[in-house]
Amino acid sequence: MTSFSCDKHRFHREGGMMEVFPSSTVSLREFGCEQTLLSRPDGSASFVQGDTSVMAGVYGPAEVKISKEIYDRATLEVLVHPKVGLPGVRERSQEQCVRETCEASLLLSLHPRSSLTLVLQVLHDDGALLSCCLNAACMALMDAGLSMSCLFCGVTCAISADGEIITDPTAAQEKESRALMTFAIDSKERRVMMSSTKGSFSVHELQQCVAASQKASEKIFQFYRDSVRRRYSKNL
Amino acid sequence: MSLCCFHLTYRIAEPLEYHRSFLKENCRPDGRELSEFRTTTLNIGSISTADGSALVKIGNTTIICGIKAELANPTADAPGKGYIVPNVDLPPLCSSRFRPGPPGEQAQAASQFIADVIERCDQHVTTLCLCWVLYCDIMCLDYDGNILDACIIALLAALKNTQLPEVTVNKETCSPEVNLEKRQRLHIHKHPASASFCVFDDSILIVDPTAEEESLSTAHLTVVTDEEGRLCSVHKPGGSSLSREKLQDCINRATARQREIHKLIDKVLDSVKTAK
């Protein structure tokens, strides 16, 4: 575990290996995060999972366009920018997933007629991109100081051609897999908030992946806690 | 008369309370049970200029799908196969919530969802270095909730209705020759059908939501199953969390729905064949 700190931001790295059922292990790639790295947004965070890296910035609560305003809640807008090219149809679907997950966990009714903008920039994609976006989004929202009813984390599972479940797959593993699932798990009851799947799989495999994601999410939430504790602790 | 007016104003002023009062009695404002789908009707081959077409109505939601086939070079990552390009369009005609202009987030997210579901569903015959590309245009004519279900049914029915002309390669000119008279159907390997659900107040699950129910719900879920009982997609774009038991209930309901839809599509296709 390596870490270094300076006045403005803290960088925290950790890896994880854990046992879920006797027959398979849940392993996550080494992940790290950095908060308050940008000066202009109200909250920012960068999340790294293996080689996949996403940077998130949050602006808000700010003024909202009258056409978009909601009288009793804040309006959340999410923008996902890919590393190369303009945002396309795939990015729109990722934006919908991230936005609805954030809307369910943020206390939007505290900021009526305001806007919250969350911008996600993909720095490198080596598999598990949507879950890395979710993790970066959660850390950025925490950094911005927005009130949330629960935290959330993203976990990706891939089912390989021979039925093996791989959590946090690399891009090569994703390509070889016959099914790919991304879940967002909430911190209060470890239930599934968001699910986005691709490929064909059986109900039993779905249940196994959900269980594996719930186990992996515990590790990620512990990492969030440690990150924030290190950031706010006076002695390091 | 005054009681009727009161109900109408109550529905507009307090829509959530209005729906809650029905859900307490385990039914919905239009008289359906919590797990009941609206009447689904299907009409195929209505667009004569398209290679395949289908029109689906689930209650008031109306979706039309038209398929045009073209010859093109195959993509770099799948050199031996043809590909499908679905595009969902939600024009201002179908609902006042959509404004004219470039496609909004809902239309693009629906297009991506359908592309992910259909991706591994069928293969096309290729001729040397050319392959068939199917451009599927799915347009909503009337938006009353649950467009994803209707889009999947329309796309599947239109694909089954599609007849591709035969292509031979002229040996002298090395160019493809299309024979529009002889046509062959597509080989469809899987028959996916979807069921959409809505979560109310984080606890009550309802099937096939109308537009009003969708806007008041706290989460949406769409489960796509195929005829072998395998899942093609579990699409839940955020919202309140769901327990494992509720998810299992949804999957069971989706599997039952798949059988109904499969029977409907087969019945309609048979009736077209016998009519010819």
Side-chain angles (χ1 to χ4, degrees), chain B residues 28 32-40 58-59 146 149 194-197 207-209 253-254 256-258 260-261:
Chain B
R28 288 142 84 171
R32 284 187 286 157
E33 296 282 325
L34 295 186
S35 61
E36 199 184 317
F37 278 88
R38 288 173 284 183
T39 333
T40 310
I58 299 184
N146 202 5
D149 280 9
S194 78
S196 290
F197 306 86
V207 146
D208 190 15
R253 188 68 188 86
R257 175 70 170 165
Q258 199 277 333
E260 292 167 21
I261 294 295

Side-chain angles (χ1 to χ4, degrees), chain B residues 241-260:
Chain B
S241 49
L242 213 59
S243 67
R244 250 187 258 186
E245 295 78 34
K246 289 234 159 69
L247 191 57
Q248 189 55 49
D249 287 338
C250 293
I251 295 173
N252 295 339
R253 188 68 188 86
T255 323
R257 175 70 170 165
Q258 199 277 333
R259 288 193 280 269
E260 292 167 21

